[in-house]
Amino acid sequence: MKNISIKLANYASAMNCNIIPDNAGDLCLLERFRDDEGKTIVRLSPQPGDYHAEEKWLDAIASGEAAKMIL
């Protein structure tokens, strides 16, 4: 996996998300949440259209639209 920008890593951390890469190097942000037993889990079912280039994530963060892209 390539290096991820600090801006995207900080955003994912602030939004309580994991950054998941695909084979092409595009990224998907998956929200972490707690199950009924209090364990932190991540839903691992992104579809190919859920992955975006890092530049698209950074543009969405700048425009305030990134939260809509998180699964």
Side-chain angles (χ1 to χ4, degrees), residues 21-62:
D22 67 2
N23 291 336
D26 289 340
L27 307 168
C28 178
L29 270 65
L30 296 174
E31 184 176 5
R32 294 185 296 257
F33 58 97
R34 298 209 179 267
D35 67 6
D36 294 336
E37 297 174 5
K39 295 178 184 174
T40 300
I41 57 175
V42 174
R43 182 172 45 103
L44 292 177
S45 60
Q47 301 299 310
D50 297 330
Y51 293 89
H52 307 284
E54 183 172 6
E55 296 77 26
K56 184 171 180 176
W57 280 106
L58 294 174
D59 289 345
I61 291 168

